[in-house]
Amino acid sequence: MAAIAPDYLTALLAPYTATDPSTTRPFVTLTFAQSLDGKIAGAGGKQLALSGKESMVMTHWLRTLHDAILVGSGTALNDDPQLNTRHLPPLPPDSPPYPAPRPIILDTRLRLPSSCKLLKNYANGKGTGRRPWVVSCAPRSQDAEWDARRQALERAGARVLLLPSDDESGRIQALLSLLCAEGIRSLMVEGGAQIISAFFDVATECVDTVLITTAPLIVGAKGVGFEVPGENGAFRVAETRLVGRDSVVALVAAPPAEAQ
């Protein structure tokens, strides 16, 4: 089914689709939408409808090409996302469903409510969402409130995975190693700003492809944004195209010989 995704997406990811048993992390695609002035959210992290219809559909096609999709706890709390493929064209009767990525929330304090859409979609059993995984850190000492939140999430259907430590310095690498051990071979990271910045901090080690969708909108100085790192030639532009009203730029990790 993944083969029916647009050719430019399958071609972009083709170099990374071969399974390498020696790998210690998933292939990582980082994707986000921004305004013309480089903002990905409104004041205080407020969700903005930046992507046009066509680029939203593109994003959902991209989801079918990955084993899992990751957002941070801030996005999960602010946006209550579904992380499924609901915007793709309807399938003919009796057709198998579109491949759906595993929803993963990086939520070190277990703030995700058990009433969120991810868990409701999984619980309804109608194929609108896979079982979400919540990646957290065990408290350093006994914490009855943390235990209660974990139990509530697990009762609602979530699987809670624990990082080996709560050390922020190596958190992204530890997360990717954990997901690889759980069989995740390709990961799509959708944000928001905090988790995208965390991945960009270790981009040369952990990010293979970046897709940036720019919408013809101005958000203003109070919006939330960040700078895409461009030091040392770690990424090169692989493709640019118009998708509906939006422009999409694809960056890929440069081979070590090209990076300075």
Side-chain angles (χ1 to χ4, degrees), residues 26-258:
F27 160 73
V28 173
T29 302
L30 193 61
T31 179
F32 57 92
Q34 65 178 16
S35 62
L36 284 174
D37 53 343
K39 309 300 183 183
I40 69 168
K46 181 181 178 181
Q47 182 184 18
L48 297 175
L50 292 171
S51 298
K53 178 180 178 180
E54 294 85 355
S55 58
M56 177 66 73
V57 172
M58 178 204 72
T59 297
H60 282 230
W61 280 123
L62 194 65
R63 291 177 179 181
T64 71
L65 300 174
H66 292 81
D67 292 340
I69 181 170
L70 174 75
V71 298
S73 58
T75 295
L77 292 171
N78 291 333
D79 300 352
D80 197 12
Q82 300 187 62
L83 306 182
N84 54 22
T85 57
R86 65 193 181 280
H87 289 302
L88 295 183
L91 290 165
D94 302 322
S95 295
Y98 289 110
R102 171 79 62 188
I104 300 174
I105 312 299
L106 180 58
D107 183 9
T108 56
R109 291 189 285 166
L110 289 187
R111 296 187 297 162
L112 185 71
S114 56
S115 59
C116 67
K117 290 178 181 177
L118 287 171
L119 287 165
K120 288 181 177 178
N121 285 349
Y122 173 65
N124 73 24
K126 296 181 180 179
T128 54
R130 297 180 66 185
R131 182 184 189 186
W133 293 356
V134 181
V135 180
S136 186
C137 301
R140 296 185 180 184
S141 58
Q142 189 171 359
D143 186 332
E145 291 186 5
W146 186 93
D147 289 337
R149 291 196 297 272
R150 175 175 181 171
Q151 291 170 17
L153 287 171
E154 291 177 334
R155 284 195 301 269
R159 182 186 179 197
V160 178
L161 304 176
L162 299 180
L163 294 171
S165 78
D166 60 358
D167 181 11
E168 290 189 16
S169 63
R171 181 170 293 167
I172 297 301
Q173 293 90 333
L175 167 69
L176 294 178
S177 294
L178 174 64
L179 296 182
C180 186
E182 292 290 338
I184 301 299
R185 294 292 176 262
S186 56
L187 179 69
M188 181 173 170
V189 180
E190 280 203 11
Q194 186 173 358
I195 200 165
I196 290 172
S197 295
F199 269 86
F200 273 144
D201 285 344
V202 291
T204 56
E205 305 169 45
C206 300
V207 178
D208 301 286
T209 302
V210 182
L211 265 78
I212 305 171
T213 298
T214 301
L217 301 169
I218 299 293
V219 172
K222 293 184 178 180
V224 176
F226 55 86
E227 292 185 5
V228 177
E231 298 85 357
N232 303 321
F235 292 95
R236 60 178 177 82
V237 176
E239 183 175 359
T240 62
R241 66 170 54 229
L242 285 176
V243 180
R245 65 171 193 176
D246 304 329
S247 63
V248 178
V249 177
L251 310 175
V252 296
E258 294 182 17

